[in-house]
Amino acid sequence: MTCETCNTKFSYFKVLKTFWFGYQDIKCDHCDSTYEHKLSNRVLGGLMVMISIFVSFIIFSDKPKLVPIIGFVVMSMVLSLFLPFMLKFRRLE
């Protein structure tokens, strides 16, 4: 993602951190423009959690109860690594 005002690119980890810490606004370090997550980001985050739960409990259904939970956590973290490429932001005035 790049800033609409000054065309500065946001780092991958900066975008990922705003997602992991509750859809925080992202601020450009160069021009101080602020961007907020669009509603589609929250939908993608919810789908990621639902898919992770569904798949981990199907794959590990015959295992002890802790294994599907650990599988869910690991799968959620791995899937979230792809989200910064799909997230969309809206500039605040």
Side-chain angles (χ1 to χ4, degrees):
M1 180 193 157
T2 60
C3 177
E4 295 173 1
T5 307
C6 65
N7 291 328
T8 302
K9 284 193 165 271
F10 294 115
S11 73
Y12 169 84
F13 292 106
K14 187 172 188 172
V15 175
L16 185 62
K17 187 175 87 171
T18 65
F19 174 76
W20 275 354
F21 292 111
Y23 305 101
Q24 294 177 347
D25 293 345
I26 190 168
K27 191 171 188 175
C28 179
D29 294 329
H30 189 260
C31 68
D32 290 334
S33 294
T34 305
Y35 295 85
E36 69 177 356
H37 285 266
K38 287 188 171 184
L39 178 63
S40 61
N41 296 352
R42 296 176 193 273
V43 171
L44 279 173
L47 284 173
M48 180 196 66
V49 169
M50 287 177 23
I51 290 169
S52 298
I53 290 172
F54 182 72
V55 170
S56 65
F57 280 92
I58 286 179
I59 291 174
F60 303 115
S61 63
D62 58 340
K63 306 286 186 219
K65 297 229 185 257
L66 188 60
V67 174
I69 294 171
I70 293 171
F72 157 70
V73 170
V74 170
M75 195 173 306
S76 293
M77 292 178 84
V78 169
L79 286 176
S80 72
L81 295 175
F82 296 102
L83 283 180
F85 301 111
M86 296 181 271
L87 297 178
K88 295 182 178 18
F89 294 87
R90 182 178 65 198
R91 189 175 68 155
L92 297 175
E93 298 298 323

